[in-house]
Amino acid sequence: ESPADPKNPKAGKWSFKPRGRLQIDTASVSAPSAIGSKSLGLATEFRRAYFGFDGTIPGNFGYRIEADIANSSIDPTDVYLNYTGIKNLTLTIGQHKPFESMEDTESDLFTSFMERASFNTAFGFERRLGLSAQYQKGMVLAQVGVFTDNVTDLNADTDNSYSIDSRFALQPKLFGGQAHIGGSAHYHDLNDSSATVRYRARPFTHTTDIRFVDTKAISALSETNYGVELGWTGGPVHFTAESQWMKVNRPAGIADPTFNGGYVEAGVFLTKGDTLPYKASEGTWTRIKPRNGVDKGGIGAVQVNARYDWLDLNDNGVLGGRQQLVGASLLWVPTDYVRFIVDYGHLWLKDAAVAAGADRNYNADVIGMRAQFDF
Amino acid sequence: ESPADPKNPKAGKWSFKPRGRLQIDTASVSAPSAIGSKSLGLATEFRRAYFGFDGTIPGNFGYRIEADIANSSIDPTDVYLNYTGIKNLTLTIGQHKPFESMEDTESDLFTSFMERASFNTAFGFERRLGLSAQYQKGMVLAQVGVFTDNVTDLNADTDNSYSIDSRFALQPKLFGGQAHIGGSAHYHDLNDSSATVRYRARPFTHTTDIRFVDTKAISALSETNYGVELGWTGGPVHFTAESQWMKVNRPAGIADPTFNGGYVEAGVFLTKGDTLPYKASEGTWTRIKPRNGVDKGGIGAVQVNARYDWLDLNDNGVLGGRQQLVGASLLWVPTDYVRFIVDYGHLWLKDAAVAAGADRNYNADVIGMRAQFDF
Amino acid sequence: ESPADPKNPKAGKWSFKPRGRLQIDTASVSAPSAIGSKSLGLATEFRRAYFGFDGTIPGNFGYRIEADIANSSIDPTDVYLNYTGIKNLTLTIGQHKPFESMEDTESDLFTSFMERASFNTAFGFERRLGLSAQYQKGMVLAQVGVFTDNVTDLNADTDNSYSIDSRFALQPKLFGGQAHIGGSAHYHDLNDSSATVRYRARPFTHTTDIRFVDTKAISALSETNYGVELGWTGGPVHFTAESQWMKVNRPAGIADPTFNGGYVEAGVFLTKGDTLPYKASEGTWTRIKPRNGVDKGGIGAVQVNARYDWLDLNDNGVLGGRQQLVGASLLWVPTDYVRFIVDYGHLWLKDAAVAAGADRNYNADVIGMRAQFDF
């Protein structure tokens, strides 16, 4: 509304930008027919359908209000106010991501596969209402925040859980490219007398609701988790790997299990001049901008990626199962804001939570396709 | 964000347009008091309250994300990405209308009565997630698509129904006006072992939830339906008629019924210079733009319409009832984006699903009013 | 889309403005532990998270479509079309506020405390679908409307309740400032054979769902309520007070109770040059615009307020309890569109609906904080 004050132009001005994204997914899950579930086979869905606004307010404030309507319900995503009046620092209040991992911090618009690595969903990463500070200067990134729960769970006025979340990274230039060496540490107090946690993951696609690995609900008092992160991008190639350990503090007299997951990924562009960009201020990968987009008469960017992903939900008396997968993906990015993905994964299940007849050790295959745009 | 590329201006540029519509309806249903339902009498509602965005993306892409919040819930309407880089052709992926009929293809903002003809709702026409192609050149329109279900139903990961939908039209200039001669054909496979269908229609207004005609849920494997369409507009007058046949393929040993509905409509403007426009690219009627709108100091456009509408849900062992109605409407369109409607319908029911005491043959009267705007 | 018509510029033109607001609240309720409820203690929530659009349409029309998503559901707020083509008069159709009180008419963005006075929520004030006229000229304001229910309740097609609502005010300049002397009168017919009403209020914060005062559901045929309003603002000081009486017309043979509530408030700015503005066209307080906002290198506006608030839900056989509170608030308004509030209230309960052990007379303390922005 009002322009920047000419005497104090750094205080910012009003801006407003609509935001939206759509991801349409089709995928097929092949698994032993002895499982006997209609959730196998082909399925189609809106993976995400966001819309909202963001912008800036004079006085160095910024805001975002956005929600996902893909499930024909309202699921608030980023809904926050921030302050950028102190150099290199961003203060944020509202619902946002609590710096759980490198891939969780990355926008779902930019991931190399249709879904993030299994541990990201298995360990319950989600946006939460909280207060955080993010500092980035030179080759150092530090993020720290205190959070309560996500706003949907906070509709229960008895929810007084809280967490302290932190993430650090070094961002050196190495071997002619950009490197990322990071880690995160988190403590989450459920702060409620009869709380439980549940860890589980879908098989490489969100179109099915089956989870071959699943701890079911287990009693818990708090969670402590740690992650390590590595990344490198240079020219057409990138490499990235993460692992995370989730320790559950269970009530007195019950052993405390620690679950682990992670992935190793490499990718390369087949189209000349394209690269996977790194966003230093957030410490993660960002939008691919094709050098020769179809809007310039080119064919856009084409990238292939390979990944090994593991998730181990067996420990100390909890038998949630182990899932390993090897996946490959082909991305076609005709313009900055449009993307098509085809990916394929082969899964090895051990001690699966869903039995195939009497068998809990079996394999599965998943093939998926996505059409996506955002603005 | 980015302007059109000067070297390749046809590839399009970024654009963004907010969209919204509001329809406020009040209507009263008079029927024999022996029916004994509180759903009769006066009722008021938001018929539709949409908001969303549409626009274009460089590279000849376009998008729309829109939802209806009239029921205090999110009901995604048009949510799609399209591509217009090939001349005369539009490719669309996402949730959109599967070309069911001429009146269903018409925006609900532009219909001559508050509600479409009974068969449009009775036969379950709705937006679905799919992939379609639309070709229009000269006097030929062709639309074809493959669809699965609407995104709300797709929240069930076991829903793997699909349909093949097609619609064709000739669009000649005839008798000094624009004619439309069209038809559509559809096959819908429920693809599920224990599926049912249900056909029913409200009595000329959406404010009540009573349906005098209703097949109740009947077991089904698939549906095949065909429609014929006629239209003509020239000067102040228009004429339009449609009919559609819905054949239900039921499980082995049960007879397959075919249901039928349709309407015949004529309308005339009382205000000088106004006409009902035809949109060739979609093969249906479009927005009335008053020659002398109130924004120009005039009184806007005034149109009267008359319609006969029938729906027969009795066939081959299914007794859903027969409904006929004669309706009249008065439209006042003060400016392009504001509209008021008053309409009245007299209904004849035979073998009604809702009995008036012991009587299933009776008459009903409905009077309704709508205030509407969109942007 | 189209600019104003040069021959008829007063007819207005197209405009479009996105709207949004976010209020993040944290509050703690201290009450006797004998109450034994987990709803006491600390809680955090999105109090409101609105988004929508408003604007104007050529022909002197205006519109707004807005909804609250704070509860991870869609709650339509202002959704209407209005007409301003007659001088001093605004005609509105759609969902809007039925002129219940001075503080209810005030935007929740501008109230002096985190919550309005108890009677505003206790008496069920809410936006409803209706048709209204608002006239303001010189020092006279008159508002009158007929309404049915809010659109969420109207999803039930049997809801045919209606109300007639009116509010009047004189707006003289007095003692060097702006005065407001007003009143309102309302009749609400439930128009349904087995209807009930329920009056209750949260204790000074919305983060808890406990209500110490609560009539529970009581049978009713209709409601009649009256309010009186006083206000004055000049320089850094303002004063305001209201009281309202709610009479319930109960079925034959049951006594009709009258409940009462109200508040007295005074506030002063600690920062030089700031004042609480009055909006004559709506007859209520409006946005504080700091003279030295942080966007201009200043510290924004700081205001302190004190309030006494009472609510008496005991009368004629109904024992809902009595609640009194004394509250103080500190507002920091760094720029026009950002606000932080800290408030504290001490409550005295008598005949409370929630017993502390055997005791229904006890005290409670509430401290709350809000971070807010809007656009």
Side-chain angles (χ1 to χ4, degrees):
Chain A
E1 310 217 342
S2 63
D5 183 343
K7 291 176 195 156
N8 196 23
K10 285 188 184 157
K13 53 176 180 134
W14 272 103
S15 76
F16 166 80
K17 189 185 147 329
R19 289 173 60 84
R21 74 183 59 171
L22 179 64
Q23 296 172 337
I24 305 171
D25 287 7
T26 299
S28 182
V29 181
S30 301
S33 58
I35 290 173
S37 167
K38 284 187 181 175
S39 292
L40 301 177
L42 191 70
T44 303
E45 66 170 11
F46 278 177
R47 176 64 179 94
R48 292 178 180 90
Y50 287 13
F51 68 34
F53 306 130
D54 65 9
T56 55
I57 301 178
N60 297 302
F61 294 100
Y63 64 87
R64 183 177 294 174
I65 295 187
E66 193 172 41
D68 186 3
I69 63 163
N71 296 315
S72 303
S73 62
I74 280 281
D75 183 14
T77 56
D78 282 338
V79 184
Y80 60 70
L81 174 70
N82 66 24
Y83 179 72
T84 56
I86 303 169
K87 206 179 169 185
N88 302 317
L89 194 68
T90 301
L91 301 175
T92 303
I93 183 169
Q95 176 156 293
H96 57 299
K97 289 181 181 174
F99 319 120
E100 292 282 9
S101 73
M102 187 180 185
E103 197 178 34
D104 189 63
T105 302
E106 186 181 4
S107 170
D108 55 69
L109 290 167
F110 308 145
T111 55
S112 301
F113 289 79
M114 286 168 61
E115 296 299 324
R116 295 190 178 93
S118 311
F119 79 86
N120 284 290
T121 48
F123 293 165
F125 299 166
E126 60 181 352
R127 288 173 181 88
R128 288 180 178 153
L129 178 50
L131 186 66
S132 77
Q134 175 168 296
Y135 174 88
Q136 203 281 337
K137 190 181 173 186
M139 55 175 267
V140 175
L141 169 72
Q143 298 167 317
V144 61
V146 290
F147 292 84
T148 175
D149 217 330
N150 74 72
V151 293
T152 304
D153 289 338
L154 288 175
N155 286 329
D157 69 348
T158 54
D159 186 337
N160 57 358
S161 63
Y162 68 90
S163 67
I164 301 168
D165 297 273
S166 61
R167 185 167 169 259
F168 298 89
L170 294 177
Q171 306 168 317
K173 305 282 179 191
L174 279 184
F175 312 116
Q178 172 67 54
H180 171 101
I181 303 154
S184 70
H186 310 269
Y187 173 75
H188 182 210
D189 196 320
L190 301 176
N191 200 15
D192 198 298
S193 57
S194 58
T196 61
V197 293
R198 181 177 189 172
Y199 304 115
R200 55 181 185 164
R202 290 183 172 85
F204 199 61
T205 178
H206 189 275
T207 55
T208 181
D209 290 332
I210 208 168
R211 280 88 163 184
F212 297 134
V213 288
D214 185 349
T215 63
K216 310 290 163 69
I218 59 174
S219 57
L221 301 174
S222 67
E223 301 171 298
T224 309
N225 54 313
Y226 301 96
V228 295
E229 311 168 355
L230 285 175
W232 185 87
T233 180
V237 174
H238 82 280
F239 163 85
T240 180
E242 288 190 82
S243 185
Q244 189 142 164
W245 292 263
M246 172 62 78
K247 182 181 177 189
V248 187
N249 179 21
R250 304 193 63 187
I254 310 180
D256 294 348
T258 297
F259 305 116
N260 173 251
Y263 67 94
V264 179
E265 174 188 306
V268 61
F269 283 91
L270 306 183
T271 42
K272 205 169 173 182
D274 288 314
T275 192
L276 180 66
Y278 176 77
K279 188 172 192 178
S281 64
E282 296 183 357
T284 193
W285 312 115
T286 187
R287 185 185 302 276
I288 295 167
K289 301 198 170 189
R291 171 165 291 203
N292 291 296
V294 298
D295 49 326
K296 299 166 190 159
I299 62 146
V302 176
Q303 186 195 33
V304 291
N305 298 282
R307 166 178 282 202
Y308 168 66
D309 171 321
W310 74 93
L311 179 65
D312 185 346
L313 299 180
N314 287 351
D315 197 46
N316 249 354
V318 177
L319 200 71
R322 288 174 192 167
Q323 177 174 288
Q324 296 175 80
L325 78 86
V326 168
S329 72
L330 177 69
L331 271 62
W332 175 41
V333 186
T335 77
D336 299 9
Y337 295 86
V338 179
R339 178 179 290 207
F340 298 91
I341 307 179
V342 179
D343 67 13
Y344 163 77
H346 182 77
L347 291 86
W348 292 266
L349 279 307
K350 201 177 157 192
D351 306 321
V354 175
D359 198 359
R360 292 186 178 273
N361 303 319
Y362 51 83
N363 297 352
D365 292 275
V366 179
I367 185 156
M369 289 185 291
R370 169 172 296 174
Q372 166 185 307
F373 74 92
D374 73 294
F375 58 86
Chain B
E1 310 217 339
S2 62
D5 182 343
K7 291 176 194 154
N8 196 22
K10 284 190 186 158
K13 54 177 180 133
W14 273 102
S15 76
F16 167 79
K17 189 184 146 331
R19 289 174 58 83
R21 75 184 60 170
L22 178 64
Q23 296 173 337
I24 306 171
D25 286 7
T26 299
S28 184
V29 181
S30 300
S33 57
I35 290 173
S37 166
K38 284 187 180 175
S39 292
L40 301 177
L42 191 70
T44 303
E45 67 170 10
F46 278 178
R47 177 64 179 93
R48 293 179 180 89
Y50 288 13
F51 67 36
F53 306 131
D54 65 10
T56 56
I57 301 178
N60 297 303
F61 294 99
Y63 64 88
R64 183 177 294 174
I65 296 187
E66 193 172 41
D68 186 3
I69 63 163
N71 296 315
S72 302
S73 62
I74 280 282
D75 183 15
T77 55
D78 282 337
V79 184
Y80 59 70
L81 174 70
N82 66 25
Y83 180 73
T84 55
I86 303 168
K87 206 178 167 185
N88 301 318
L89 194 68
T90 301
L91 300 175
T92 304
I93 182 168
Q95 176 158 292
H96 57 298
K97 288 182 182 173
F99 318 121
E100 292 280 9
S101 73
M102 187 181 187
E103 197 179 32
D104 189 64
T105 301
E106 185 181 7
S107 170
D108 55 69
L109 290 166
F110 307 146
T111 55
S112 301
F113 289 80
M114 287 169 60
E115 297 299 324
R116 294 189 177 93
S118 310
F119 80 85
N120 284 290
T121 48
F123 293 165
F125 299 166
E126 60 180 354
R127 289 174 180 87
R128 289 180 177 154
L129 179 50
L131 187 66
S132 77
Q134 175 168 294
Y135 174 87
Q136 203 280 336
K137 191 181 173 186
M139 55 175 270
V140 175
L141 169 72
Q143 298 168 316
V144 62
V146 290
F147 292 84
T148 174
D149 216 331
N150 74 73
V151 293
T152 304
D153 289 336
L154 288 175
N155 286 329
D157 69 347
T158 53
D159 186 337
N160 57 358
S161 63
Y162 68 89
S163 66
I164 301 168
D165 297 274
S166 62
R167 184 168 170 258
F168 299 89
L170 293 177
Q171 305 169 316
K173 307 280 180 193
L174 278 185
F175 312 116
Q178 173 68 54
H180 171 102
I181 303 154
S184 70
H186 310 268
Y187 173 74
H188 182 211
D189 196 319
L190 300 176
N191 200 15
D192 198 298
S193 57
S194 59
T196 61
V197 294
R198 181 178 190 171
Y199 304 114
R200 55 180 184 164
R202 289 183 172 84
F204 198 60
T205 178
H206 188 274
T207 55
T208 182
D209 291 332
I210 208 168
R211 280 87 164 183
F212 296 134
V213 287
D214 184 349
T215 63
K216 308 292 164 66
I218 60 172
S219 58
L221 300 174
S222 66
E223 301 170 298
T224 309
N225 52 314
Y226 301 96
V228 295
E229 311 169 356
L230 285 176
W232 185 86
T233 181
V237 173
H238 82 279
F239 163 84
T240 181
E242 289 190 81
S243 185
Q244 190 142 162
W245 291 263
M246 171 63 77
K247 183 182 177 187
V248 188
N249 178 22
R250 304 193 62 186
I254 310 180
D256 294 348
T258 297
F259 305 116
N260 173 251
Y263 67 95
V264 179
E265 174 188 308
V268 62
F269 283 91
L270 306 183
T271 43
K272 204 169 173 180
D274 289 311
T275 192
L276 179 67
Y278 176 78
K279 187 173 192 176
S281 65
E282 296 183 356
T284 193
W285 311 114
T286 187
R287 186 185 301 277
I288 295 167
K289 303 198 169 190
R291 169 164 293 203
N292 291 297
V294 298
D295 50 326
K296 299 167 191 158
I299 63 147
V302 177
Q303 186 195 32
V304 290
N305 298 282
R307 166 177 283 202
Y308 167 68
D309 171 321
W310 75 93
L311 179 65
D312 184 346
L313 298 180
N314 287 349
D315 196 47
N316 250 354
V318 178
L319 200 71
R322 288 173 193 169
Q323 178 175 287
Q324 296 175 82
L325 78 85
V326 169
S329 73
L330 177 69
L331 272 63
W332 176 40
V333 187
T335 77
D336 299 9
Y337 295 86
V338 179
R339 179 179 290 208
F340 298 92
I341 305 179
V342 179
D343 67 14
Y344 163 77
H346 181 78
L347 290 87
W348 292 265
L349 280 306
K350 202 178 157 190
D351 306 320
V354 176
D359 197 0
R360 291 186 179 274
N361 303 320
Y362 51 83
N363 297 352
D365 291 276
V366 179
I367 185 156
M369 289 184 291
R370 169 173 296 173
Q372 166 184 307
F373 74 91
D374 73 295
F375 58 86
Chain C
E1 309 216 340
S2 62
D5 183 342
K7 291 177 196 154
N8 196 24
K10 285 188 185 158
K13 52 175 180 133
W14 273 101
S15 76
F16 166 80
K17 191 186 146 326
R19 290 173 59 83
R21 74 184 59 172
L22 179 64
Q23 296 173 336
I24 306 171
D25 287 7
T26 299
S28 183
V29 181
S30 301
S33 58
I35 290 173
S37 167
K38 284 187 180 174
S39 292
L40 301 178
L42 191 71
T44 304
E45 66 169 11
F46 278 177
R47 177 62 180 95
R48 293 180 181 91
Y50 287 14
F51 69 35
F53 306 130
D54 65 10
T56 56
I57 300 178
N60 297 302
F61 294 100
Y63 64 87
R64 183 177 293 174
I65 295 187
E66 193 172 41
D68 187 4
I69 63 163
N71 296 316
S72 302
S73 62
I74 280 282
D75 182 15
T77 56
D78 282 338
V79 184
Y80 60 70
L81 174 70
N82 65 25
Y83 180 72
T84 55
I86 304 169
K87 205 177 170 188
N88 302 317
L89 194 68
T90 302
L91 300 175
T92 304
I93 182 169
Q95 176 157 291
H96 57 299
K97 288 182 183 173
F99 318 120
E100 292 281 9
S101 72
M102 187 180 186
E103 197 179 33
D104 189 63
T105 301
E106 186 181 4
S107 170
D108 55 69
L109 291 166
F110 308 144
T111 55
S112 301
F113 289 80
M114 286 167 61
E115 297 298 325
R116 295 190 178 93
S118 311
F119 79 86
N120 284 290
T121 48
F123 293 164
F125 299 166
E126 60 181 354
R127 288 173 180 88
R128 289 180 178 154
L129 178 49
L131 187 66
S132 78
Q134 175 169 295
Y135 174 87
Q136 203 280 336
K137 190 181 174 188
M139 55 176 267
V140 175
L141 169 73
Q143 298 168 316
V144 61
V146 289
F147 292 84
T148 174
D149 217 330
N150 73 73
V151 293
T152 304
D153 289 337
L154 288 175
N155 287 329
D157 69 347
T158 53
D159 186 338
N160 58 357
S161 63
Y162 68 89
S163 67
I164 302 168
D165 297 273
S166 61
R167 185 169 170 256
F168 300 89
L170 293 177
Q171 305 168 316
K173 305 282 180 191
L174 278 185
F175 312 117
Q178 173 67 54
H180 171 102
I181 303 154
S184 70
H186 310 268
Y187 173 75
H188 182 209
D189 196 319
L190 301 176
N191 201 14
D192 197 297
S193 58
S194 58
T196 60
V197 293
R198 181 179 190 172
Y199 305 114
R200 56 181 184 163
R202 290 183 171 85
F204 198 60
T205 178
H206 188 274
T207 55
T208 181
D209 291 332
I210 208 167
R211 280 87 164 185
F212 297 134
V213 287
D214 185 347
T215 62
K216 309 291 165 65
I218 59 173
S219 57
L221 300 175
S222 67
E223 300 171 297
T224 308
N225 54 314
Y226 301 96
V228 295
E229 311 169 356
L230 285 175
W232 185 87
T233 181
V237 174
H238 83 279
F239 163 84
T240 181
E242 288 190 82
S243 186
Q244 190 143 160
W245 292 263
M246 172 62 77
K247 183 182 176 187
V248 187
N249 178 22
R250 304 193 63 187
I254 309 180
D256 294 348
T258 297
F259 305 115
N260 173 251
Y263 67 95
V264 179
E265 175 189 306
V268 61
F269 282 92
L270 306 183
T271 43
K272 206 169 171 181
D274 289 313
T275 192
L276 179 67
Y278 176 78
K279 187 172 193 177
S281 65
E282 297 184 355
T284 193
W285 312 114
T286 186
R287 186 185 300 276
I288 295 167
K289 303 200 167 187
R291 170 165 292 202
N292 291 296
V294 299
D295 50 324
K296 299 165 191 158
I299 62 148
V302 176
Q303 186 195 33
V304 291
N305 298 283
R307 166 178 283 202
Y308 168 68
D309 171 321
W310 74 94
L311 179 65
D312 185 346
L313 298 180
N314 288 350
D315 196 47
N316 250 355
V318 177
L319 200 70
R322 288 174 192 167
Q323 177 174 289
Q324 296 176 81
L325 79 85
V326 169
S329 73
L330 176 69
L331 271 62
W332 176 40
V333 187
T335 77
D336 299 9
Y337 294 87
V338 178
R339 179 179 290 208
F340 298 92
I341 307 179
V342 179
D343 68 13
Y344 164 77
H346 182 77
L347 290 87
W348 291 266
L349 279 307
K350 202 178 155 189
D351 306 319
V354 176
D359 197 358
R360 291 185 178 273
N361 303 319
Y362 50 83
N363 296 354
D365 292 275
V366 179
I367 185 157
M369 288 183 292
R370 169 172 295 173
Q372 167 184 306
F373 73 91
D374 73 294
F375 58 86

